[in-house]
Amino acid sequence: MTDATRRGTRNDTVQALKLLFLLVICYGHIFAEGPAATLPGSTLMDGLPMRLWWVPGDVGLFFFTATSGYFTALRYPGAAMMQGYWRRKVSRLCGLFLFLNAVLGCVFLATGREGVFTWDALVNLLGLNGFLNWFHLGNDSPFGAGQWFFTLLLLFYLVYPVMNRAVTTPARGRLLLWGCVALAAVMQVRLPYGHSLWSTSVGFVAGFWLARFGGSHPARSGWFALCACLAGAVAYRFIGHLPVLAYSVIGLAGYVCTVLALTVRLPLLPARVLDAVGDLMLPLYIIHTYFRLPLAQDPYLDALLVLTMNAGIAWVLLKAYALLAGRRRHAGPPTVAPRGAGMAGSGVPGPGTGGRAKPVASPALAAKAHHAANAETPSPQAPATHEPAVQAASGLTPAGQTASGQTASGQTPSGQTPSGQTLSVQALSGQTYSGQTPSGRSSPGQQSSPLPAGTKGEGTP
């Protein structure tokens, strides 16, 4: 696919916002693990801008999940349109994910890391690290830093076929959306985590609802959300730290960004930049917390240079995977598309169909499905997902991918310093983050404002 074709079949505003949000999240994680943030008496994480750095990061996580839910609902608009659903999702995510973890495994073995051959490693290689975080099981493996967002993405893909069959009317859509909002509020009070799990989860449902029942004027709901977001921010300013209110404001801001990106095409980044780095999102999300090298004395510049270094490593790994995948395709027997096969889930006829396509629920859904099927087609050179993050991507997540999903929450690792002179792999388990209290002091295991604290590896894309 040529660059011109890609630019004509994707939403550049969505892709640009995903990339910018992921860079914000990755920069925060890298800065939080830098030497200045771990020195005794350091106040860098307590003051501006880093004390509020996690607010746009968590907004980005909601944006990743909302766009993922939106484009998934458009690509597969009804139970009869689910052909190729699992094949596309698995091929889009799992190949590159396993390749990246295989490379990291080689690095762990070469550097003498322990825990590579444990059951925790198997859980992480299956993309289920989130369950280790959510059930406080710990992680004795060096894998899985911040991959709770990836687990959340897989859970949504697992649940989506049920939602697709059951939620078929606007009344059911409203019940699902507001039910999930209420449940997230209750769970935030009863089971808070060191990352924005509950508000991020609502993003999937909000994106699904927007695609299926948002109507022809979604900007109206965006304006309402913006007004509610501003009112909530003012209330938070006067009421003080209230996590439910903080995450409500974050969710509303994420919804506003989603509606803006889907309805207004803004040239946030040049198309050439998106062509060059758009597919880096999943690799960067997976690896950005593993490699550290002190590159500057100034902590802000050091974090920027380390982020650039990790982006370079991600680019090399992406090219290596594309080369490997290309060779495997050429080595196998030639495959012929079945006669009449069209674009999966889009209602677009293929060759030999006589111009007939499978019917969709309505002409409006057919148009939406056609748009979504062409909305963010990944590069043939890199089967990386745009769903996560943390890329989280075709609609990325991710993340949050978390983006390390270690913390979209602004947690700082305690007692961890980079390796000093050599490129090293950071230990990712058994390290705690300290949440920020409203007073600006670091308090281990408590929620920060607006993001709570948790264990390392519980963050975002």
Side-chain angles (χ1 to χ4, degrees), residues 212-390:
R212 195 61 58 84
F213 309 110
S216 58
H217 300 287
R220 293 177 182 176
S221 62
W223 280 110
F224 174 80
L226 178 60
C227 294
C229 178
L230 294 176
V234 172
Y236 182 85
R237 172 67 178 82
F238 287 101
I239 294 175
H241 179 57
L242 186 62
V244 172
L245 180 57
Y247 282 113
S248 298
V249 173
I250 285 171
L252 288 168
Y255 184 83
V256 171
C257 290
T258 303
V259 171
L260 179 67
L262 294 173
T263 58
V264 181
R265 297 298 181 94
L266 298 175
L268 298 176
L269 291 175
R272 290 184 178 181
V273 174
L274 294 178
D275 290 335
V277 303
D279 290 328
L280 286 180
M281 285 187 280
L282 180 62
L284 182 59
Y285 157 60
I286 296 295
I287 73 160
H288 77 272
T289 60
Y290 290 97
F291 300 101
R292 286 284 314 178
L293 189 66
L295 298 176
Q297 293 184 348
D298 180 82
Y300 297 98
L301 178 60
D302 176 71
L304 179 61
L305 294 177
V306 172
L307 176 59
T308 304
M309 178 186 70
N310 277 273
I313 295 173
W315 183 84
V316 171
L317 293 177
L318 184 63
K319 293 298 181 182
Y321 176 73
L323 181 62
L324 177 64
R327 287 181 175 177
R328 290 184 63 184
R329 283 196 298 268
H330 291 308
T335 58
V336 179
R339 184 173 180 83
M343 189 171 297
S346 68
V348 180
T353 62
R356 297 185 306 177
K358 290 184 178 180
V360 293
S362 69
L365 280 181
K368 282 186 175 183
H370 176 72
H371 162 71
N374 294 280
E376 289 167 282
T377 308
S379 166
Q381 295 180 348
T385 177
H386 288 296
E387 299 180 70
V390 188

Side-chain angles (χ1 to χ4, degrees), residues 72-159:
T72 299
L74 289 191
R75 285 194 180 100
Y76 306 98
M81 304 299 296
M82 294 296 291
Q83 179 183 358
Y85 174 79
W86 288 114
R87 175 180 55 80
R88 291 183 65 182
K89 294 301 183 184
V90 170
S91 64
R92 196 168 198 171
L93 289 174
C94 295
L96 181 58
F97 178 80
L98 292 175
F99 171 77
L100 293 170
N101 280 282
V103 172
L104 289 175
C106 294
V107 174
F108 297 150
L109 292 175
T111 55
R113 292 293 303 277
E114 297 181 354
V116 176
F117 301 104
T118 62
W119 80 272
D120 292 330
L122 178 61
V123 172
N124 288 313
L125 291 176
L126 293 175
L128 302 179
N129 171 267
F131 290 107
L132 300 179
N133 299 151
W134 303 329
F135 291 98
H136 306 289
L137 298 177
N139 182 11
D140 295 329
S141 150
F143 295 97
Q147 291 179 17
W148 67 267
F149 183 88
F150 192 84
T151 304
L152 197 62
L153 191 68
L154 295 179
L155 288 176
F156 169 70
Y157 290 154
L158 182 65
V159 171

